[in-house]
Amino acid sequence: NLSIADADGTNERVITVQTLADDNPLHYRDWVENNRAYVHEKSGGKLGYLHIPDMVGAGYAAFHRYFLTELDYEGLVVDVRFNRGGHVSQLLLTKLAKKRIAYGRSRWMGAYPYPREAPFGPLIAICNEHSGSDGDIFSHHFKQMGLGTLVGKRTWGGVVGIWPRNPLVDGTVTTQPEFSNWMNDVQWGVENYGTDPDVEIDITPQDYSQQKDPQLDKAIELVLEQIKQNPPQMPAFDNRPNLG
């Protein structure tokens, strides 16, 4: 409780401040927003950034929280480090795999791509040893689908899914491994191994203490080089026919 009063000491009152039960969401949002601002600044406004914390409701929401604001940059950094897994990776990969093959032109609102919500430029993804389960699967198929370069550390390597479906009399529930994953390229090879990044970058304790992120820096460097070699460009929309 806080006791406050007016400057002259009158009108004293007590205010009760209800604290957060858990401040981890605040730290997480701060980390994401700092990364996003860093990518924007470091790239000179050329790159967008988004982080996917898991592959269930929170991750699906986080993806759409940022994707629509970041996809029009010349390149996009997709961060799946510390991804806790789930089951929506195929939905997100489908969106990231969209290619702009045409544009619509409106009279007052400019041009818009076809298909809608297709990224403008090249993609790059960052994974680490804490990207697990559907985070493993996302990282592996991002590479397998040729969506872009994968940077970071080998993923966790746990893609056998469980099903918590046997309740016990004490109110608890048992889980058992029931869903395995087979890939065209490595067959059963992701389980107990993980997915190797195209470019391996470690973060040392010294980096953490100095608040450096060499994985993010390398992702920015690589995708900017890709943009330099093959810059994405909007069509000129010239030679418009006169059908009047």
Side-chain angles (χ1 to χ4, degrees):
N1 293 340
L2 297 176
S3 179
I4 63 173
D6 293 342
D8 58 3
T10 61
N11 197 23
E12 184 175 352
R13 54 216 182 266
V14 175
I15 296 177
T16 300
V17 178
Q18 184 174 357
T19 60
L20 293 172
D22 181 6
D23 63 357
N24 280 333
L26 294 180
H27 291 295
Y28 169 71
R29 182 63 52 210
D30 182 64
W31 180 72
V32 172
E33 289 296 339
N34 284 337
N35 284 351
R36 183 167 170 250
Y38 180 79
V39 169
H40 290 173
E41 180 180 0
K42 181 97 173 178
S43 67
K46 292 186 175 182
L47 303 183
Y49 170 89
L50 61 89
H51 181 261
I52 310 172
D54 59 38
M55 294 296 174
V56 287
Y60 193 71
F63 177 87
H64 290 93
R65 179 188 183 111
Y66 291 104
F67 180 58
L68 298 182
T69 65
E70 305 295 292
L71 61 82
D72 283 323
Y73 285 88
E74 294 181 48
L76 179 61
V77 178
V78 182
D79 193 346
V80 291
R81 292 177 294 181
F82 309 101
N83 187 286
R84 298 182 293 274
H87 55 267
V88 303
S89 64
Q90 57 189 304
L91 300 177
L92 306 188
L93 287 167
T94 298
K95 288 180 175 287
L96 292 171
K98 289 183 178 181
K99 303 297 182 185
R100 300 187 179 195
I101 59 174
Y103 283 86
R105 290 279 292 172
S106 64
R107 183 179 296 274
W108 305 114
M109 295 180 290
Y112 51 89
Y114 180 94
R116 294 288 187 103
E117 302 177 9
F120 181 44
L123 309 176
I124 196 162
I126 317 176
C127 63
N128 66 4
E129 62 273 28
H130 302 290
S131 306
S133 190
D134 212 23
D136 284 299
I137 294 171
F138 178 95
S139 302
H140 189 84
H141 292 314
F142 184 90
K143 253 191 3 174
Q144 189 183 26
M145 294 168 67
L147 299 185
T149 305
L150 185 65
V151 177
K153 295 289 288 183
R154 175 158 58 97
T155 62
W156 180 57
V159 294
V160 173
I162 61 173
W163 188 355
R165 62 185 174 92
N166 294 315
L168 304 179
V169 294
D170 62 357
T172 59
V173 65
T174 66
T175 65
Q176 49 286 321
E178 298 201 28
F179 307 103
S180 56
N181 285 270
W182 184 93
M183 284 81 167
N184 282 344
D185 51 352
V186 297
Q187 287 80 55
W188 310 105
V190 174
E191 180 66 26
N192 284 330
Y193 181 80
T195 293
D196 289 310
D198 297 304
V199 180
E200 183 171 351
I201 300 291
D202 202 0
I203 299 182
T204 67
Q206 291 80 6
D207 293 324
Y208 277 114
S209 67
Q210 299 173 32
Q211 296 185 328
K212 293 181 179 179
D213 190 340
Q215 293 173 343
L216 187 58
D217 286 336
K218 176 56 71 171
I220 294 169
E221 174 192 332
L222 291 174
V223 75
L224 284 178
E225 183 60 32
Q226 294 172 20
I227 291 172
K228 183 178 179 180
Q229 294 175 3
N230 186 24
Q233 295 180 345
M234 287 287 289
F237 300 117
D238 53 6
N239 300 320
R240 183 179 301 175
N242 186 348
L243 304 179

